[in-house]
Amino acid sequence: MRPTLLLAVHGTRDPDGLDVTRALARGVRERAGVPVRLAFADVRDPDVGDVAATISGPIVVVPAFLAAGYHVRVDIPGQLARVGRFDARITGALGGDPRLVAAAARRLREAGWRAPDAVVLAAAGSSDPGALAEVADAAGRLAETLGSPVRTGYIATGTPTVAQTVAALRAEGHRRVAIASWLLAPGLFHQRLAGAGADLVAGPLCPDSGVAAAVVARYREAVAPARV
């Protein structure tokens, strides 16, 4: 029996954001060819534990998060433990998967970015230094993809904020500043970017097909036979 892929996402009260996450689950199902269930690590129900409790057989949980912060390290394992699904395998977060970095570059270009526009990679942020390091790594990868420097900025937790990074780039003489959204779906965090002072704001990574591809890649890595 092939394990069910349990797609764990951060919840949102934004109707468009919810539609996007459901579309992501459909895209993952089409690519993976295995049962796919959607659950929320925060904000919305059902949570990961509630959904896992209804699944018979093996489960691979893929956290659709861009860094391995608190939700990935604590909330998701805790929700699984609450319902006794200690057998569930949890993959790593999507992180700086090359497909996501490429998606961020495409979304920037779609929004009107062109060299030599300065770029701020806008992430939700985290109190976890490891998660912030993952964002910095993604910024470095995006810079390589664009052939242009990319700096980080945070929306909710961490410094500098997106607005501070935009202002710093302006002070250095950059005529145009673009924001690359290191967010998966629309919602409150993405709405805040409109007031950060940039010339353009790229859309969230979804519905770029690279996101679904990254999720499926994590699942397949988890179920691949171990090599001796």
Side-chain angles (χ1 to χ4, degrees):
M1 178 185 296
R2 289 183 293 178
T4 295
L5 191 163
L6 202 169
L7 181 64
V9 303
H10 194 293
T12 176
R13 296 181 180 87
D14 185 288
D16 292 336
L18 182 58
D19 288 344
V20 165
T21 55
R22 287 171 172 164
L24 173 60
R26 290 193 297 271
V28 169
R29 187 177 298 112
E30 292 169 1
R31 282 178 173 268
V34 300
V36 174
R37 300 285 299 276
L38 178 65
F40 302 96
D42 194 17
V43 179
R44 297 191 70 94
D45 293 324
D47 72 17
V48 176
D50 293 336
V51 175
T54 69
I55 298 172
S56 299
I59 302 171
V60 172
V61 181
V62 181
F65 287 81
L66 298 176
Y70 189 86
H71 291 306
V72 176
R73 294 184 296 100
V74 178
D75 284 339
I76 291 173
Q79 291 166 11
L80 291 166
R82 189 192 73 231
V83 298
R85 290 307 304 253
F86 299 100
D87 59 313
R89 284 173 281 179
I90 306 174
T91 74
L94 301 184
D97 187 290
R99 302 167 186 84
L100 301 187
V101 174
R106 284 192 290 270
R107 299 296 270 166
L108 260 179
R109 294 186 178 106
E110 289 167 2
W113 176 87
R114 61 182 184 274
D117 293 350
V119 177
V120 180
L121 183 66
S126 174
S127 58
D128 184 328
L132 298 183
E134 290 181 50
V135 176
D137 178 69
R141 294 177 185 229
L142 181 59
E144 292 176 2
T145 300
L146 297 173
S148 181
V150 176
R151 297 192 191 174
T152 56
Y154 300 101
I155 303 166
T157 306
T159 55
T161 66
V162 176
Q164 287 170 339
T165 304
V166 171
L169 290 166
R170 296 271 192 220
E172 292 171 14
H174 292 278
R175 296 183 60 187
R176 280 170 49 93
V177 180
I179 293 177
S181 175
W182 199 235
L183 302 167
L184 286 179
L188 178 61
F189 284 176
H190 190 263
Q191 292 168 11
R192 291 179 181 175
L193 297 180
D199 294 283
L200 62 93
V201 178
L205 300 184
C206 287
D208 192 280
S209 61
V211 180
V215 170
V216 174
R218 287 288 188 274
Y219 172 86
R220 289 176 176 165
E221 289 164 5
V223 300
R227 295 183 180 180
V228 179

